[in-house]
């Protein structure tokens, strides 16, 4: 009888025992969301141009990738039980590279836009904006994009958000009887900056954090027009194929867990871009949909 009473008591208590089990951590929940094929491979493949400091770049003579996005993705991969692998790709080829399954994630400063969402899904991880870098001697003459009528600007090939703003400003120039803005799109950020150094253009348009970093590397040579002038705000993101919603969600959950435990902000502060932190890690929420 005692054995029977013990069995009955154990059966009665088992639901309570189940309630006492600790909940899975956010990182564990994120790891469970990783698709089977990615989990079997054990590698998170990241496509990036790797020439875009402080987001993702390689120091001269160094093969490994550095930057705020790289540090974030390194921790994301760890929380998902994966290793991180970078694959070099031109900026203009990032979307097609994800679609062709050359890599799992399009990275390196790509921004989420409603137009791009027709092809990819995005995990939003940092605020940013397009600003204009000029040689220090010209800052008293140039304060906004509207001061570039009849002048030249350089930017990276594939930067549709920036080019839309430049084209709109150029139209304002012509409507007011001034010469249009001449825009040159180059393959890489160093190519664009070189055009500025050679004085073939009057400004280089790029991500504000990248321009601030660039200025710190060459004290006194450059300045951002208007101090903190933003030509257009946007949300720096990681892009995923529409067929990989599971991986997209896993990366979002892992990054949100980093925000919750403070790791996210520590990494941004390390690269002096703490002011670009988002209040939450979102999916498909570009600047055009934000208040």
């Amino acid at each position: 009888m005692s054995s029977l009473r013990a069995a009955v008591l154990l059966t009665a208590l088992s639901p309570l025992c189940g309630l006492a089990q600790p909940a899975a951590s956010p990182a564990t929940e994120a790891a469970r969301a990783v698709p089977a094929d990615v989990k079997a491979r054990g590698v998170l493949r990241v496509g990036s141009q790797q020439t875009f400091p402080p987001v993702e770049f390689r120091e001269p003579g160094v093969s490994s990738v550095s930057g705020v996005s790289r540090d974030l993705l390194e921790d994301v991969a760890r929380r998902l039980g994966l290793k991180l692998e970078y694959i070099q790709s031109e900026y203009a080829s990032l979307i097609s590279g994800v679609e062709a399954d050359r890599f799992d994630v399009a990275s390196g400063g790509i921004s989420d836009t409603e137009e791009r969402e027709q092809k990819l899904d995005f995990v939003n991880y940092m605020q940013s904006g397009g600003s204009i870098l000029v040689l220090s001697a010209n800052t008293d003459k140039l304060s906004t994009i509207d001061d570039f009528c009849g002048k030249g600007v350089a930017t990276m090939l594939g930067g549709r958000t920036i080019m839309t703003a430049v084209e709109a400003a150029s139209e304002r120039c012509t409507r007011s009887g001034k010469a249009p803005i001449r825009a040159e799109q180059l393959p890489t950020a160093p190519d664009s900056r070189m055009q500025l150094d050679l004085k073939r253009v009057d400004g280089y348009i790029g991500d504000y954090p990248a321009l601030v970093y660039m200025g710190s590397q060459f004290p006194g040579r450059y300045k951002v027009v208007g101090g903190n002038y933003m030509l257009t705000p946007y949300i720096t993101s990681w892009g995923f194929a529409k067929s990989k919603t599971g991986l997209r969600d896993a990366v979002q959950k892992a990054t949100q867990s980093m925000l919750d435990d403070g790791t996210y902000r520590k990494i941004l502060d390390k690269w002096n871009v703490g002011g670009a932190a988002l209040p939450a890690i979102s999916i498909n929420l570009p600047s055009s949909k934000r208040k």
Side-chain angles (χ1 to χ4, degrees):
M1 291 295 292
S2 59
S3 298
L4 179 58
R5 283 197 298 270
V8 171
L9 180 60
L10 181 60
T11 301
L13 288 177
S14 57
L16 299 177
C17 293
L19 290 175
Q21 294 300 312
S25 70
T28 301
E29 291 293 333
R32 288 174 180 170
V34 176
D37 61 328
V38 178
K39 190 175 297 184
R41 188 198 314 138
V43 174
L44 183 66
R45 303 170 301 169
V46 180
S48 170
Q49 187 167 276
Q50 304 168 21
T51 60
F52 196 45
V55 179
E56 282 169 350
F57 64 104
R58 284 179 292 168
E59 299 283 1
V62 179
S63 60
S64 59
V65 178
S66 300
V68 59
S69 176
R70 182 266 175 196
D71 285 356
L72 289 171
L73 286 173
E74 184 77 28
D75 205 286
V76 165
R78 181 184 64 79
R79 293 175 189 231
L80 297 181
L82 303 172
K83 293 182 179 179
L84 194 64
E85 176 186 327
Y86 270 92
I87 299 171
Q88 199 282 330
S89 176
E90 294 300 326
Y91 185 81
S93 300
L94 288 174
I95 291 178
S96 60
V98 168
E99 291 179 318
D101 198 34
R102 286 189 56 228
F103 34 80
D104 305 304
V105 185
S107 188
I110 191 170
S111 58
D112 179 0
T113 68
E114 293 183 62
E115 180 183 5
R116 287 175 179 162
E117 284 178 12
Q118 296 176 19
K119 295 186 175 183
L120 299 185
D121 285 335
F122 293 91
V123 171
N124 315 130
Y125 70 89
M126 192 169 69
Q127 299 181 78
S128 190
S131 295
I132 310 173
L133 194 73
V134 296
L135 296 174
S136 292
N138 293 333
T139 51
D140 59 334
K141 308 170 189 175
L142 304 168
S143 298
T144 73
I145 188 63
D146 295 296
D147 295 323
F148 283 79
C149 297
K151 300 183 183 299
V153 296
T155 188
M156 283 205 305
L157 188 67
R160 188 64 245 164
T161 304
I162 285 176
M163 282 304 299
T164 297
V166 172
E167 290 162 1
S170 188
E171 289 179 8
R172 292 196 296 272
C173 291
T174 56
R175 284 200 302 268
S176 63
K178 301 176 182 178
I181 299 172
R182 175 174 53 86
E184 296 186 16
Q185 291 187 283
L186 287 302
T188 70
D191 291 334
S192 299
R193 181 172 61 83
M194 181 65 71
Q195 296 303 298
L196 178 61
D197 287 340
L198 295 174
K199 299 183 179 180
R200 293 174 180 168
V201 297
D202 302 278
Y204 160 45
I205 306 178
D207 270 2
Y208 177 73
L211 300 187
V212 171
Y213 178 86
M214 193 177 295
S216 71
Q217 302 302 298
F218 303 93
R221 185 185 299 184
Y222 309 109
K223 288 186 178 179
V224 175
V225 300
N228 294 332
Y229 170 71
M230 293 285 186
L231 168 62
T232 178
Y234 46 83
I235 305 298
T236 305
S237 309
W238 297 308
F240 299 82
K242 290 285 188 180
S243 60
K244 292 194 174 182
T245 56
L247 182 60
R248 177 203 69 187
D249 293 348
V251 170
Q252 184 275 331
K253 290 177 186 293
T255 313
Q256 182 63 47
S257 73
M258 293 167 62
L259 187 152
D260 294 339
D261 68 22
T263 305
Y264 167 81
R265 187 55 185 262
K266 287 180 181 178
I267 291 174
L268 266 62
D269 286 342
K270 168 187 172 182
W271 292 97
N272 299 314
V273 292
L278 289 173
I281 306 303
S282 50
I283 292 175
N284 293 340
L285 192 60
S287 58
S288 60
K289 295 180 182 178
R290 294 173 184 253
K291 295 181 180 180

